[in-house]
């Protein structure tokens, strides 16, 4: 969708750009966004590193990342006429989390915190549209288009270029006063707004996120191999998860927060200001065996309007099977795994067989120790 000249162009030009920018930021905060910055529609500087990432094959089977490189580098090719990009973020923590290294219940099913409530993509786009409408009421008509992880955009880099934070060694954006537990969105606009300036980086010599990664997916600072990443494996990937990575996945059945939980800057993490991120269906405190017994109808009902829908029922059960294989030995776990084999596809059954073997191995170790 191209931007077209607005009939209200003269009216907009009469407004002081800096005052309009300040007013827009105030409106964004009023709508529940945690921060708002104005970015220049230019991400050319990201291309060398991104091309290296692709050449190494670290994007796994996410082949869509290989497409539209020109549009990623130049947002004005994605939406012609873009003059400024309003970048926003939303904090999604409901409560300050305990660090991952604190002992946890191994029979719990761990779901990434952003995914325990409503799908943030819908929340983000809806509020960006509301922000656009408020601006139109203020300045008259202009062209805008909202995005939330829904187009070939270097959204993290655009936000970083305008001072929303810096890219940490785990490749996520970190804000000095808010940590990294937030999601991003953008409103492409035809408005001439002053751009914000980038912030400085503050990771220093810290390598906590690299050291803690259960599958060593952060292969070097600022470079993540998705083929090893638990978030990719449990959400995007639909195949058989390599056996050598299953123990590292532990009881994480959708995503992984470990590299964020260990980050010292998340001692400053802020909680959400809207209720959309509140956990639903007990997903912040649910046992592996309880969620294992969800049939497909229950899965669809309990994940309506949730990011978890993205993984699909069979892949979700595949992930839970791995979690059950890694859980402490239990006769009940083995029985539930065995009786479920007829309900699932071949890929899930491969992981069920592995989980049963893991449980039996733990049983043998338990008997020896007795």
């Amino acid at each position: 969708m191209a931007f077209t000249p607005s009939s209200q162009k003269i009216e907009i030009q009469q407004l002081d750009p800096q005052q309009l920018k300040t007013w827009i930021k105030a409106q964004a905060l009023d709508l529940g966004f945690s921060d708002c910055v104005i970015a220049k529609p230019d991400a050319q500087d990201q291309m060398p590193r991104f091309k290296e990432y692709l050449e190494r094959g670290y994007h796994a089977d996410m082949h869509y990342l290989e497409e539209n490189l020109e549009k990623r580098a130049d947002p004005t090719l994605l939406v012609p006429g873009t003059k400024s990009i309003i970048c926003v973020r939303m904090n999604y923590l409901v409560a300050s989390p305990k660090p991952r290294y604190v002992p946890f219940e191994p029979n719990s099913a761990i779901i990434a915190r952003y995914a325990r409530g409503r799908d943030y993509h819908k929340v983000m786009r809806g509020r960006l549209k509301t922000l656009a409408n408020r601006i139109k009421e203020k300045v008259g008509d202009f062209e805008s288009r909202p995005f939330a992880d829904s187009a070939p955009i270097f959204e993290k880099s655009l936000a970083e270029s305008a001072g929303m934070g810096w890219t940490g060694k785990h490749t996520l954006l970190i804000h000095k006063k808010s940590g990294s537990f937030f999601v991003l969105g953008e409103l492409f606009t035809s408005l001439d707004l002053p751009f914000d300036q980038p912030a400085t980086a503050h990771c220093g010599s810290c390598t906590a996120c690299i050291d803690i990664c259960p599958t060593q997916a952060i292969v070097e600072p600022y470079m993540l191999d998705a083929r090893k990443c638990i978030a990719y494996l449990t959400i995007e990937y639909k195949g058989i998860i390599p056996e050598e990575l299953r123990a590292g996945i532990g009881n994480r059945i959708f995503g992984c927060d470990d590299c964020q939980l260990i980050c010292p800057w998340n001692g400053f993490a802020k909680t959400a200001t809207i209720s959309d991120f509140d956990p639903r269906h007990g997903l912040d405190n649910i046992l592996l065996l309880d969620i294992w017994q969800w049939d497909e109808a229950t899965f669809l009902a309990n994940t309506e309007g949730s990011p978890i829908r993205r993984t699909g029922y069979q892949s979700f059960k595949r992930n839970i099977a791995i979690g059950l294989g890694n859980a402490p030995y239990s006769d009940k776990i083995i029985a539930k795994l065995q009786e479920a084999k007829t309900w699932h596809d071949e890929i899930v059954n491969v992981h069920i067989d592995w989980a049963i073997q893991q449980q039996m191995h733990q049983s043998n170790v338990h008997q020896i120790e007795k």
Side-chain angles (χ1 to χ4, degrees):
M1 183 182 78
F3 288 149
T4 56
S6 168
S7 60
Q8 300 293 327
K9 188 174 182 181
I10 296 176
E11 182 180 346
I12 292 175
Q13 287 180 339
Q14 290 174 346
L15 295 171
D16 178 76
Q18 188 62 47
Q19 289 182 349
L20 177 58
K21 171 181 164 179
T22 300
W23 181 86
I24 288 173
K25 290 187 174 187
Q27 295 303 305
L29 296 179
D30 183 62
L31 286 169
F33 295 115
S34 310
D35 197 5
C36 175
V37 296
I38 311 300
K40 181 180 180 181
D42 180 7
Q44 298 284 351
D45 62 341
Q46 296 300 310
M47 291 312 298
R49 187 72 167 169
F50 188 64
K51 287 181 178 178
E52 180 184 356
Y53 169 81
L54 295 175
E55 288 169 2
R56 293 188 187 186
Y58 290 166
H59 60 310
D61 65 357
M62 295 182 286
H63 301 299
Y64 60 87
L65 293 176
E66 303 169 13
E67 303 169 355
N68 299 304
L69 296 185
E70 297 82 3
K71 292 180 180 178
R72 290 182 186 277
D74 184 357
T76 65
L77 296 177
L78 178 65
V79 184
T82 298
K83 294 181 180 178
S84 63
I85 299 176
I86 301 172
C87 299
V88 296
R89 64 178 173 86
M90 279 185 170
N91 297 328
Y92 60 78
L93 285 181
V94 174
S96 298
K98 295 179 180 179
R100 180 64 182 184
Y101 52 78
V102 172
F104 61 96
E105 172 54 62
N107 290 311
S108 295
I110 303 300
I111 293 170
R113 283 156 179 79
Y114 84 89
R116 297 175 181 179
R118 189 183 175 204
D119 189 342
Y120 81 87
H121 299 88
K122 299 175 182 178
V123 178
M124 184 72 75
R125 282 196 297 270
R127 290 179 184 247
L128 283 170
K129 289 178 181 178
T130 301
L131 177 60
N133 289 334
R134 286 193 182 186
I135 299 172
K136 287 180 180 179
E137 291 175 0
K138 174 78 169 177
V139 305
D141 195 25
F142 72 99
E143 298 293 343
S144 65
R145 190 171 173 187
F147 295 99
D149 193 26
S150 55
I153 301 170
F154 283 131
E155 60 175 8
K156 178 182 63 182
S157 302
L158 289 170
E160 182 177 16
S161 73
M164 193 173 279
W166 72 92
T167 298
K169 294 177 183 178
H170 48 23
T171 76
L172 300 171
L173 203 63
I174 303 174
H175 189 275
K176 197 172 183 179
K177 295 182 179 179
S178 299
S180 62
F181 284 101
F182 52 78
V183 289
L184 302 173
E186 303 79 38
L187 186 68
F188 283 42
T189 83
S190 60
L191 298 172
D192 276 313
L193 297 172
F195 305 131
D196 287 306
Q197 298 303 307
T200 53
H202 297 279
C203 283
S205 61
C206 179
T207 59
C209 59
I210 298 174
D211 299 335
I212 200 67
C213 179
T215 54
Q216 295 299 291
I218 309 171
V219 295
E220 63 184 67
Y222 317 107
M223 190 66 80
L224 178 75
D225 186 348
R227 297 171 298 185
K228 297 180 180 180
C229 179
I230 295 173
Y232 165 77
L233 291 170
T234 58
I235 300 173
E236 302 289 339
Y237 185 57
K238 305 305 180 187
I240 295 173
I241 293 177
E243 193 165 331
E244 65 270 18
L245 298 176
R246 295 176 196 168
I249 290 174
N251 59 341
R252 305 165 189 83
I253 65 169
F254 189 93
C256 179
D257 290 328
D258 284 27
C259 63
Q260 297 192 81
L261 292 171
I262 198 69
C263 178
W265 289 107
N266 275 320
F268 303 100
K270 302 294 190 297
T271 53
T273 57
I274 59 175
S275 61
D276 298 84
F277 293 107
D278 290 351
R280 301 192 293 182
H281 306 293
L283 292 179
D284 59 331
N285 185 27
I286 193 166
L287 297 178
L288 287 164
L289 267 182
D290 290 343
I291 205 166
W292 175 251
Q293 295 178 76
W294 285 8
D295 58 18
E296 187 164 11
T298 304
F299 170 81
L300 292 173
N302 288 349
T303 60
E304 184 176 0
S306 162
I308 296 173
R309 277 276 183 99
R310 183 175 181 85
T311 194
Y313 177 66
Q314 293 295 338
S315 293
F316 192 59
K317 297 303 287 285
R318 171 202 64 186
N319 301 341
I320 302 169
I322 292 175
L324 289 169
N326 289 322
Y329 171 74
S330 165
D331 289 336
K332 188 174 183 181
I333 287 178
I334 293 178
K336 292 297 182 181
L337 286 167
Q338 288 174 334
E339 71 181 38
K341 286 198 64 177
T342 58
W343 306 341
H344 298 100
D345 64 20
E346 182 178 351
I347 290 177
V348 179
N349 283 334
V350 167
H351 298 81
I352 290 177
D353 288 339
W354 175 85
I356 292 172
Q357 291 172 4
Q358 292 298 108
Q359 282 286 311
M360 295 303 295
H361 175 71
Q362 293 185 62
S363 172
N364 293 335
V365 171
H366 181 68
Q367 291 298 326
I368 292 172
E369 290 177 347
K370 279 187 175 181

